Amino acid sequence: MIFLLTLMSYLLGNFLPALQIGKRSGKTVLAEGSGNPGARNTGRIFGKKAFLLVFLLDAGKGALAVFIAFWIDGRPVIELLALAAVMLGHCYPIVHRFKGGKGAATFIGGVLVFNPIWILAILLGFAVLYPAIKKFTAASVFATITIVPCSIWLNDAKVTLLALLVVGLLLWTHRADLQISIGRNKTR
């Protein structure tokens, strides 16, 4: 059952709503802006409404995967496994030749369902980091590291390991943004 849940979560992640936006106009997020099929690039190309729609749909994928895992099994480790799988599906979708988004919205949706208190920890981390970094994306992504101590508090090594995996995936998919942000701060 866990294998099927993980596979289903991965395949759910393969649905990239950003690719549907703009089909009538002939534009595609893959050829415009950063080329990333995520909410931020969609907003850059098609405006705020398109950003919001894609963000909500991508977050909904994460939320749905975690909710289904909770409903089927109820163990936190299985819920985080579903979140990791849906994020992998979003970032590396097999149906789109492994070229997907960066997983931030999917992560946010999943964490909101898994444990909303973790969002508060991330917001606190962001509030501390943003004044020092002065880059929204870098501060946001680095702030996700706060979920690791939160998972340690649950006293479950498997949950902590999966929290590290999920945060590691976000750091990896945002590595170019993080390098640019850190590089800019060193030159100032």
Side-chain angles (χ1 to χ4, degrees):
M1 187 58 128
I2 293 170
F3 173 77
L4 288 175
L5 175 65
T6 305
L7 179 62
M8 186 238 16
S9 296
Y10 173 80
L11 293 174
L12 175 63
N14 279 236
F15 168 66
L16 301 176
L19 297 179
Q20 307 307 313
I21 304 289
K23 278 196 170 186
R24 289 186 180 161
S25 70
K27 289 183 181 179
T28 175
V29 293
L30 297 175
E32 306 272 337
S34 67
N36 186 295
R40 197 163 108 197
N41 192 42
T42 302
R44 207 178 281 132
I45 298 163
F46 298 107
K48 292 177 185 176
K49 288 181 183 176
F51 164 83
L52 185 59
L53 177 63
V54 172
F55 180 86
L56 290 174
L57 289 170
D58 282 346
K61 291 189 300 194
L64 182 61
V66 173
F67 177 76
I68 290 171
F70 171 77
W71 184 66
I72 289 174
D73 188 281
R75 288 181 290 165
V77 68
I78 303 303
E79 293 171 48
L80 278 181
L81 181 63
L83 177 56
V86 73
M87 286 177 63
L88 278 171
H90 177 83
C91 299
Y92 301 103
I94 193 167
V95 297
H96 300 293
R97 298 183 181 159
F98 301 103
K99 294 179 184 179
K102 294 183 181 180
T106 305
F107 168 81
I108 291 168
V111 170
L112 273 171
V113 171
F114 177 72
N115 191 338
I117 293 171
W118 285 15
I119 294 294
L120 294 176
I122 292 167
L123 290 172
L124 180 63
F126 175 82
V128 169
L129 290 170
Y130 184 75
I133 298 174
K134 293 185 175 64
K135 298 293 176 192
F136 184 85
T137 300
S140 300
V141 173
F142 281 133
T144 63
I145 294 169
T146 60
I147 72 167
V148 176
C150 290
S151 65
I152 292 169
W153 182 67
L154 291 175
N155 296 321
D156 188 331
K158 291 176 185 174
V159 169
T160 302
L161 183 63
L162 283 166
L164 280 169
L165 174 71
V166 167
V167 169
L169 178 59
L170 272 181
L171 290 170
W172 175 256
T173 59
H174 286 86
R175 65 191 177 281
D177 295 325
L178 299 175
Q179 289 171 348
I180 290 169
S181 294
I182 292 168
R184 284 185 187 156
N185 279 346
K186 284 184 180 178
T187 60
R188 289 185 178 173

